[in-house]
Amino acid sequence: MRSIRKTLFLLCAVAGLHAMAQESKGYLGIGFHTACPQSELKDIKYDNGYGINLSYLSSRYPSKSMLNVQAGMQMDFAKMQSKKFENLELSDPNIIGTATITATNSMYATMGVVRLNWGTDDDKFVPYVNFLIGNRQYNTRQTLELDEVLQNPDYQSDTTTRHIVYTSRLHYGAGIGCSYRLNKTFSLESGITYTFGDKGAALPLRNIKQVEGASQVDFSDYKIVKTDMLLINVGFRIHLFQQYQTPQESTSSPTTTNTTTRYKDVNTPRTSNTTPRTTTPSTRNSGSTKSSSPKKTPISTKGAGAVKGGGKG
């Protein structure tokens, strides 16, 4: 959440610096969405989630035409639901108390975007259609936490195992929406996006269960399904500009002549489209484990370990 707040602050600061601008040169977007699994992913009752999306769009082309095109990139993140398993016995008899395992699903995507607008920067309402293609990832992770942290100072308080069930697939689709121009700097946006995804591994929370008579959690009941996703979004867009400065005309002498240069280009923002690195599907054995206190003794549940099962897409 701290990184998200810093990003929002930075984008708002950029918008403030360009408030007196004359010509739109690009658009930064921040949105909040509901993620709704569709098709076979919905059939297995994969859980819904909530998240944030960040995007950049180029200037309109042609800029003064009612029908114009933009290109850019979009990233969306969503935290799905979580499920807890409590009062689990630990493998080390010296640890006081029990532990809790939390299983969590999440989703991440990076998409290229082409937007078709019906309207210019001078219009209040501008309907649009988006066309998207890129990569979407689904991940199931588990966190093992001590219930009595203060009574076990020599042990790690928690251990996270990522990519227990993980899939990364090509997604493509389209979206429709409308933007409303508030002022020279900000616009509101709302819309829906549907992307089609190839088949991959997905594990709904309802299929994650504790092994009977043991302190293990079974992640083996994942399904290979189509990974279609629907996003319902609302947010705002910041208009970036090329800033111009108008020189002051002198009135101290009637013989003073105006400069032949009416406008001076003093700042042209530079943009960068860097595609985040994507990875191929991996099993839980190749997943990373993150601990809160790496110098302390690691913890594990009683039996063969906290995790049973797992898979790849």
Side-chain angles (χ1 to χ4, degrees):
M1 291 302 295
R2 182 176 300 177
S3 61
I4 293 176
R5 287 197 297 267
K6 288 182 178 179
T7 302
L8 294 176
F9 176 80
L10 178 61
L11 293 177
C12 291
V14 170
L17 291 175
H18 294 81
M20 301 303 294
Q22 302 296 320
E23 181 182 355
S24 299
K25 304 301 293 183
Y27 307 81
L28 290 176
I30 303 173
F32 303 91
H33 58 256
T34 299
C36 306
Q38 299 295 305
S39 186
E40 296 178 1
L41 198 62
K42 181 180 180 180
D43 294 340
I44 66 171
K45 301 189 184 303
Y46 198 85
D47 39 308
N48 294 347
Y50 302 92
I52 186 172
N53 57 77
L54 307 174
S55 63
Y56 170 79
L57 290 174
S58 66
S59 57
R60 304 174 190 268
Y61 181 82
S63 61
K64 299 303 181 182
S65 172
M66 283 295 292
L67 183 62
N68 55 79
V69 177
Q70 295 173 278
M73 178 175 292
Q74 173 178 306
M75 295 183 294
D76 63 73
F77 315 82
K79 179 182 180 297
M80 316 308 267
Q81 306 301 316
S82 298
K83 185 176 183 179
K84 289 189 176 183
F85 302 88
E86 301 176 331
N87 300 318
L88 302 176
E89 295 183 12
L90 294 157
S91 59
D92 192 336
N94 296 318
I95 298 179
I96 300 173
T98 57
T100 297
I101 284 180
T102 303
T104 305
N105 283 332
S106 60
M107 181 188 70
Y108 166 76
T110 304
M111 300 275 185
V113 182
V114 174
R115 173 173 289 191
L116 186 63
N117 299 290
W118 182 255
T120 69
D121 276 342
D122 297 327
D123 296 316
K124 280 286 187 180
F125 289 96
V126 178
Y128 62 81
V129 178
N130 285 340
F131 301 94
L132 307 94
I133 186 169
N135 176 270
R136 188 176 297 282
Q137 303 170 19
Y138 296 87
N139 177 43
T140 301
R141 72 177 188 274
Q142 69 110 37
T143 302
L144 173 64
E145 299 175 284
L146 289 177
D147 294 334
E148 303 293 343
V149 176
L150 298 180
Q151 297 186 43
N152 299 281
D154 297 328
Y155 293 86
Q156 295 173 358
S157 61
D158 61 80
T159 301
T160 298
T161 304
R162 307 179 188 276
H163 295 178
I164 296 176
V165 176
Y166 173 74
T167 191
S168 178
R169 287 292 179 266
L170 173 71
H171 268 241
Y172 58 92
I176 59 173
C178 183
S179 65
Y180 175 75
R181 187 73 177 265
L182 291 176
N183 50 44
K184 291 183 177 181
T185 304
F186 292 99
S187 293
L188 296 179
E189 283 193 359
S190 63
I192 59 174
T193 299
Y194 192 106
T195 60
F196 300 89
D198 294 338
K199 287 193 174 185
L203 179 60
L205 291 179
R206 66 199 301 266
N207 290 12
I208 304 175
K209 299 177 182 178
Q210 183 176 348
V211 178
E212 187 176 355
S215 293
Q216 290 178 266
V217 175
D218 188 355
F219 292 87
S220 63
D221 193 15
Y222 60 89
K223 307 297 180 183
I224 304 298
V225 295
K226 293 182 64 177
T227 56
D228 296 5
M229 181 60 62
L230 173 69
L231 301 181
I232 303 173
N233 177 75
V234 62
F236 62 92
R237 194 162 294 278
I238 303 170
H239 298 240
L240 305 178
F241 301 95
Q242 181 173 349
Q243 186 175 343
Y244 293 92
Q245 181 181 28
T246 304
Q248 298 291 331
E249 296 184 0
S250 174
T251 58
S252 58
S253 173
T255 61
T256 301
T257 59
N258 293 333
T259 178
T260 58
T261 303
R262 184 174 182 182
Y263 294 108
K264 182 180 179 182
D265 188 349
V266 297
N267 183 26
T268 303
R270 300 176 62 186
T271 61
S272 173
N273 289 339
T274 303
T275 305
R277 180 174 63 88
T278 59
T279 59
T280 56
S282 64
T283 64
R284 67 177 179 87
N285 294 327
S286 61
S288 60
T289 299
K290 182 180 179 181
S291 302
S292 60
S293 305
K295 294 183 180 180
K296 296 184 179 181
T297 304
I299 58 176
S300 63
T301 56
K302 193 173 183 179
V307 179
K308 182 178 185 296
K312 63 179 181 179

